[in-house]
């Protein structure tokens, strides 16, 4: 999703802004641009494609030195990914430069208004309207300190939809202003080598983490003014001063680097044992009981819950599907799982005794955020499972359980997913503990199982060479099917999603029991079918039924790739390839069975020559609908 960077300080702004944009590349984008204030005017450069294209242009025609600048990576929504549509957009009088993340929903009416006043538009974007409006409103705003911020507040009140806007004006060479509604923005506050204060704006902290870890969180419907001399001022859209929440980022720049791996995704897959361990850290008491201090819901609130909804998008939704098996089994509370984009437009039946668990790695996914608000309007309690500290979703939730995965840079979620699973197990078990459904020793036994997971994941990772080899042999496949049953069904969905998004191969995940109701017709001679086998200890004869499914697809010509736990010999006669995972408790098996599927998708994509970290058309954080 669009990346935003702004800088005010003693360093050369262009260098700082370009470096920030590089760190935001992981969000996914298709054009990039920068603007600096110099010589009494705006100097801009923008280019479709990767940042490298823009940097090449800048090497040929450099922008003047400046100490104030903005930069943007754009993920096209209104208007294709062209040079013209790239941000920044400059007002007709050339004085204002604007960058934007989000969608201005009433842009057509505002554009008509500007055109009626004689403004000629040069792009197809919704953003350009903000540049023209801001220039016009600025001219109508009384001169004096804070004039640009006042103009930004006036404009913001007129905009509908989602936006983070950052703007500079040629008449205010020491000021940047930004405005935020339903779209993320963080301010970094640092000190340059010479002791001069410097300020950064970013869509997330990765934009400025190399310079400072001191951050200020901008709330909903707020405007920030950064003035070189007067410092930082935050107000709401009406102009009332607001004290921004200050926090220190607990990542460092090194954590956001590749650390010697070819891809961020590989690094993040390798980090999973640590990420799983960190997500458990500090949450287990002396007696093996769970201590979830951050869950700011009282025990009585938790005892009153009679229904749970889990709401999320994409991979996080798959974590939710697995959560259902665990929460229902451990607590006997009914659980519904739904994609946020559906939930938010339905009339789900919720009340004060409903717990809505929203899961989001980024904490900024628009549909999940809107689902959260939809749930809160109906008085449901909302618990967020989130990785990004200080992001919008946890801030607006009643309670939060952070996954301590560290920064996830690759667009495809890996450690984010595994840690979401851990957090879901913690929520389910905590509910069972608080409600007294499980005895303390039962809780402690399950907690012991959870504690063994980091080691189990580490063990899976030591066995990945044959999986990589298999991946190379599958790189030419036209379609790959994934089957699973019980908790292995969402794992099959996740395996198919990873393959689609990274390798651009048609892939589908099915509940193995549905095979004969249609999907089996897809099996052709040589069709690769990945079967995730549930534990032989899973409910009733689920395991045996999946073994039968392997036989059935093989009898119709499929090449069978079977993920099964150690010692499961039943699968051997029907498997062309067996990928072994350590024996794990039934409900926790997804934590180990997902890992080979991540590695497989990564290797197939790499063999096909694709950018594993930034797959085409995708964005890390989907902050628009
Ligand atoms: C897939 C993937 C996406 C995200 C989804 C939700 O690998 O990463 O499907 O899981 O966009 O994102 P968050 O968790 O940030 O809300």
């Amino acid at each position: 999703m669009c990346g935003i960077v702004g800088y005010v300080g003693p360093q050369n702004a262009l260098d700082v802004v370009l470096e920030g944009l590089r760190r935001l590349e992981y969000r996914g984008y298709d054009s990039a641009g920068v603007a600096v204030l110099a010589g009494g005017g705006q100097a801009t450069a923008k280019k479709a494609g990767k940042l490298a294209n823009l940097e090449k242009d800048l090497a040929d025609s450099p922008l003047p030195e400046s100490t104030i600048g903005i930069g943007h990576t754009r993920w096209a929504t209104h208007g294709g990914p062209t040079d013209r549509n790239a941000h920044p957009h400059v007002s007709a009088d050339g004085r204002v430069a604007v960058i934007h993340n989000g969608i201005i929903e009433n842009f057509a009416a505002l554009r008509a208004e500007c055109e009626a006043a004689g403004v000629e538009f040069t792009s197809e974007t919704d953003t350009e309207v903000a540049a023209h409006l801001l220039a016009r409103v600025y001219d109508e705003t009384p001169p004096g300190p804070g004039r640009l911020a006042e103009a930004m507040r006036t404009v913001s009140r007129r905009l509908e939809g989602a936006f983070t806007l950052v703007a500079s004006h040629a008449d205010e060479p020491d000021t940047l202003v930004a405005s935020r509604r339903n779209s993320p923005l963080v301010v970094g506050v640092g000190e340059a080598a010479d002791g001069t204060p410097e300020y950064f704006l970013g869509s997330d902290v990765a934009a400025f983490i190399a310079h400072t870890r001191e951050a200020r969180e901008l709330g909903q419907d707020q405007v920030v003014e950064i003035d070189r001399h007067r410092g930082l001022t935050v107000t709401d859209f009406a102009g009332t001063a607001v004290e921004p929440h200050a926090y220190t980022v607990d990542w460092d720049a090194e954590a956001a680097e590749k650390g010697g791996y070819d891809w961020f995704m590989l690094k993040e897959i390798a980090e999973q044992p640590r990420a799983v361990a960190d997500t458990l850290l500090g949450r287990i008491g002396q007696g093996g009981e769970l201590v979830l201090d951050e869950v700011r819901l009282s025990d009585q609130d938790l005892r009153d819950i009679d229904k749970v909804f889990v709401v999320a998008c994409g991979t996080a939704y798959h974590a939710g599907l697995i959560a259902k098996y665990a929460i229902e089994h451990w607590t006997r509370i009914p659980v519904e799982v739904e994609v946020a984009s559906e939930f938010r437009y339905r009339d789900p039946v919720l009340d004060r005794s409903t717990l809505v668990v929203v899961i989001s790695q980024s904490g900024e996914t628009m549909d999940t955020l809107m689902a959260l608000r939809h749930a809160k309007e109906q008085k449901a309690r909302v618990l967020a499972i989130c990785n990004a500290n200080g992001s919008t979703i946890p801030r607006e939730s009643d309670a939060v359980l952070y996954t301590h995965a560290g920064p996830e840079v690759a667009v495809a979620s890996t450690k984010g997913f595994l840690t979401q699973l851990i957090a879901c197990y913690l929520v389910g078990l905590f509910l069972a503990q608080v409600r007294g459904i499980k005895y303390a020793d039962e809780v402690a036994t399950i907690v012991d199982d959870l504690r063994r997971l980091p080691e189990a994941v580490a063990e899976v990772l030591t066995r990945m060479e044959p999986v990589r080899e298999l991946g190379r042999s599958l790189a030419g496949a036209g379609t790959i099917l994934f089957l699973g049953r019980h908790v292995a069904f969402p794992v099959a969905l996740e395996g198919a999603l990873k393959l689609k998004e990274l390798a651009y191969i048609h892939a589908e995940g099915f509940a193995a029991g549905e095979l004969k109701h249609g999907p089996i017709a897809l099996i052709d001679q040589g069709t690769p079918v990945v079967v995730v086998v549930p534990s032989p200890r899973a409910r009733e004869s689920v395991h045996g039924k999946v073994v039968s499914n392997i036989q059935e697809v093989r009898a119709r010509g499929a090449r069978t790739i079977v993920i099964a736990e150690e010692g499961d010999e039943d699968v051997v006669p029907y498997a062309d390839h067996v990928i072994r995972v350590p024996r794990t408790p039934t409900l926790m098996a997804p934590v180990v069975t997902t890992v080979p599927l991540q590695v497989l998708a990564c290797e197939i994509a790499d063999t096909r020559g694709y950018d594993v970290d930034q797959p085409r058309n995708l964005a890390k954080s989907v902050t628009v609908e």
Side-chain angles (χ1 to χ4, degrees), residues 313-317 359-365 368 393 408 411-413 420 494 497-498 501 619-622:
C313 300
T315 286
Y317 165 69
I359 309 178
S360 175
Q361 186 285 129
S362 61
E364 299 292 353
T365 300
T368 311
I393 288 175
E408 193 176 61
V411 165
S413 184
Q420 283 162 358
E494 175 61 7
L497 179 63
K498 284 285 158 293
E501 65 183 336
K620 180 67 183 159
S621 168
V622 184

Side-chain angles (χ1 to χ4, degrees), residues 185-271:
L185 184 67
V186 207
V187 184
V189 180
E191 204 179 83
D194 64 0
T196 318
E198 54 182 359
Y199 301 93
F200 307 83
L201 289 166
S203 350
D204 65 57
V205 295
F208 52 75
I209 192 76
H211 301 276
T212 180
R213 290 162 73 169
E214 290 311 311
R216 304 285 182 272
E217 204 175 282
L218 210 62
Q220 177 74 341
D221 285 4
Q222 292 184 356
V223 166
V224 58
E225 180 202 59
I226 295 171
D227 181 277
R228 197 188 308 281
H229 310 294
R230 285 181 290 123
L232 195 83
T233 313
V234 180
T235 66
D236 62 17
F237 282 179
T240 310
V242 183
E243 193 53 47
H245 169 62
Y247 65 101
T248 305
V249 182
D250 54 7
W251 308 346
D252 56 18
E254 201 191 327
E257 298 293 345
K258 276 192 206 156
Y261 289 88
D262 287 347
W263 299 109
F264 276 109
M265 184 176 173
L266 285 174
K267 173 177 175 254
E268 289 159 9
I269 289 173
E271 284 171 349

